[in-house]
Amino acid sequence: AGLRATLGLRLDRRSFSPWTWSPRAALVWEPAPDWALKLSEGRATRFASTAERGFGTAPDQPDEQVTTSEFVTEYKHDSLRLLGSVYRYRVGDLIGAANAESLLATASRIRGRGVEFEAEWQWQGWLLRGSQAWQHADIDGAEPLQYSPRSVSKLQASAPLAGEALRASLAWRRTGSFLNSEGKVPARNLLDLTLVSRNAVAGLDLRAGWRNLLQERERLRHDLDLARR
């Protein structure tokens, strides 16, 4: 068993913003050789971009403050790795709140929380990796946050075709439905195929990919048209 702590501090200074500090702390406990438990707390700062500042013509805005908390459990044994995490975050002093035309003009904070599971297994050059995440984000504890899907699923399989000289990878990703400015966007599935050739030419890796094998864009557009009707 082992116990260790990590502390961190970041200081930032911008010409249009005073000094800001972002502390981080983590506690890691390893109760057994294959297990690790991690608890972390942190705060970060996001400064307004040049566009959000109106390229110097808009009034200065407060810096966004992001606070996060996360608890992670990890298990690793031979070629198997399992991971589960629970997290929450809060974004205050929203930059968009200073813009009367912004969707966040009347908002004071964004709050999110979620759960994620991940698994990875390797065997004789094969790699199988998958993850599932559920999350909920809202504005001021009431209105759902736009462009924030409730669930995201990923599955990837990678296999050697000619040793490690050529490898094929098939990846599937499903994004759950979410809200945007026009209404509800239906769930979407993406399937990608990638071929990677290592050292086919000395010192050069070649990669070729076929993205969106399911042509999901056209299907998504059709579903949106039906939803508007």
Side-chain angles (χ1 to χ4, degrees):
L3 182 65
R4 64 181 185 272
T6 302
L7 300 175
L9 179 64
R10 172 173 173 167
L11 297 175
D12 291 280
R13 175 73 164 85
R14 299 293 176 93
S15 59
F16 56 86
S17 179
W19 283 99
T20 181
W21 58 291
S22 303
R24 295 187 178 93
L27 187 64
V28 180
W29 179 41
E30 297 177 346
D34 297 334
W35 289 89
L37 307 177
K38 178 180 178 181
L39 178 64
S40 61
E41 294 273 348
R43 187 179 71 184
T45 302
R46 188 180 82 85
F47 298 95
S49 66
T50 303
E52 289 171 325
R53 297 183 64 245
F55 298 94
T57 62
D60 290 338
Q61 304 184 50
D63 306 322
E64 281 187 357
Q65 299 296 322
V66 184
T67 57
T68 60
S69 303
E70 185 178 27
F71 176 72
V72 178
T73 302
E74 184 179 26
Y75 172 81
K76 291 192 298 183
H77 182 74
D78 294 336
S79 58
L80 177 64
R81 174 176 175 268
L82 303 175
L83 184 143
S85 63
V86 180
Y87 66 88
R88 66 179 181 181
Y89 65 86
R90 181 182 181 275
V91 185
D93 298 327
L94 300 177
I95 292 176
N99 183 357
E101 298 179 357
S102 171
L103 295 174
L104 303 176
T106 60
S108 61
R109 69 175 183 179
I110 294 175
R111 184 182 61 182
R113 52 195 179 276
V115 179
E116 183 172 358
F117 297 98
E118 181 179 333
E120 180 180 297
W121 177 63
Q122 300 184 47
W123 178 74
Q124 296 185 359
W126 285 72
L127 171 65
L128 183 62
R129 179 188 296 125
S131 66
Q132 175 64 52
W134 294 275
Q135 63 178 353
H136 175 74
D138 57 55
I139 302 174
D140 292 334
E143 182 182 354
L145 181 65
Q146 294 185 6
Y147 303 99
S148 178
R150 296 294 297 269
S151 67
V152 177
S153 308
K154 298 179 182 179
L155 185 62
Q156 178 188 9
S158 177
L161 299 183
E164 285 298 328
L166 181 62
R167 173 172 288 271
S169 175
L170 188 64
W172 167 78
R173 182 173 71 254
R174 176 180 175 83
T175 303
S177 61
F178 59 87
L179 297 176
N180 66 7
S181 57
E182 298 181 359
K184 185 176 182 180
V185 178
R188 185 183 187 190
N189 292 279
L190 292 177
L191 188 64
D192 299 333
L193 175 64
T194 305
L195 296 176
V196 179
S197 178
R198 302 190 182 280
N199 298 321
V201 179
L204 181 64
D205 292 347
L206 300 178
R207 182 183 300 265
W210 185 2
R211 302 293 179 247
N212 194 12
L213 273 68
L214 302 178
Q215 298 182 348
E216 188 68 15
R217 178 174 298 177
E218 296 300 326
R219 186 175 305 171
L220 176 61
R221 184 178 302 161
H222 175 70
D223 291 343
L224 284 173
D225 290 339
L226 291 178
R228 293 193 186 106
R229 295 174 188 174

